[in-house]
Amino acid sequence: MIALQITSMKQFMNHLLVADTFEPFLLEEAVISTASNFTIDGHVNREFYENDENSPSLPDNEFRPWSELKGLCFDLIKGKRTPLFFRFVLHLIPQKAAALLEKENCGVSPSDVKALVVNIRYDGSKAMLTTGTAYHTFLLSREPDAIWDRAFRKYLDGKGISYEEL
């Protein structure tokens, strides 16, 4: 797990809410505090898709893609005043997470890793990004954590997002 503080908020918010930088992620949860408090649960409601032959097929993932919900989050955040607070919990798309672990020759089976996660938290003045790894079962190895931390830093660097490691 690593903690990174964003050093250019305007640039980061553009990457988060406008650009396609975070398209490889799914949204587990969004909490936004402006004039009111808003909570978005990113879980897919499978019942919504049942018994409707005109409906697209059921989504493969447990959570909605960030690309489908970032516009809503942007609409809740935009305005003359900055938000009081927001938090986003994003998961790397499972297929991409498995491919990353396999590419890095991880000693842990990708099927044992539930999610590679990034938490984005803004407290009214600064944004912090924290990585994490969720497992299906207890494992002694923390190799997936180290792989995810390195890969996420490299991803941010490649996108030109400036940060300081804490």
Side-chain angles (χ1 to χ4, degrees), residues 58-90:
L58 271 162
D60 293 334
N61 299 307
E62 180 180 359
F63 303 109
R64 303 297 314 169
W66 171 245
S67 61
E68 292 179 7
L69 296 170
K70 75 176 179 178
L72 174 60
C73 294
F74 178 72
D75 287 342
L76 294 172
I77 290 173
K78 73 179 178 184
K80 293 180 183 178
R81 297 180 182 182
T82 58
L84 298 171
F85 169 88
F86 64 72
R87 180 182 72 240
F88 300 111
V89 180
L90 302 175

Side-chain angles (χ1 to χ4, degrees), residues 2-160:
I2 55 172
L4 309 170
Q5 183 173 321
I6 296 300
T7 56
S8 175
M9 278 303 297
K10 184 174 182 176
Q11 174 208 45
F12 176 71
M13 293 304 289
N14 185 58
H15 276 283
L16 181 65
L17 297 172
V18 179
D20 63 355
T21 305
F22 290 90
E23 302 279 319
F25 291 86
L26 306 172
L27 178 69
E28 178 182 347
E29 179 184 47
V31 178
I32 300 168
S33 180
T34 56
S36 296
N37 295 320
F38 302 93
T39 302
I40 300 170
D41 180 346
H43 283 87
V44 172
N45 288 326
R46 300 209 176 274
E47 301 81 36
F48 182 78
Y49 296 95
E50 291 177 0
N51 302 323
D52 184 358
E53 46 199 53
N54 296 325
S55 192
S57 62
L58 271 162
D60 293 334
N61 299 307
E62 180 180 359
F63 303 109
R64 303 297 314 169
W66 171 245
S67 61
E68 292 179 7
L69 296 170
K70 75 176 179 178
L72 174 60
C73 294
F74 178 72
D75 287 342
L76 294 172
I77 290 173
K78 73 179 178 184
K80 293 180 183 178
R81 297 180 182 182
T82 58
L84 298 171
F85 169 88
F86 64 72
R87 180 182 72 240
F88 300 111
V89 180
L90 302 175
H91 293 215
L92 186 62
I93 292 173
Q95 298 83 346
K96 291 187 179 290
L100 171 66
L101 296 174
E102 288 170 2
K103 179 181 141 211
E104 294 293 325
N105 295 318
C106 183
V108 172
S109 170
S111 64
D112 290 336
V113 176
K114 184 174 182 180
L116 299 177
V117 181
V118 62
N119 293 290
I120 302 169
R121 182 181 176 89
Y122 174 74
D123 67 3
S125 64
K126 63 185 177 305
M128 298 284 298
L129 283 63
T130 309
T131 60
T133 306
Y135 297 94
H136 288 289
T137 186
F138 176 77
L139 298 172
L140 291 174
S141 174
R142 292 294 170 235
E143 189 178 359
D145 297 304
I147 291 169
W148 175 227
D149 293 347
R150 282 192 309 272
F152 189 67
R153 276 191 216 96
K154 184 177 177 183
Y155 185 75
L156 293 179
D157 293 342
K159 295 295 184 177

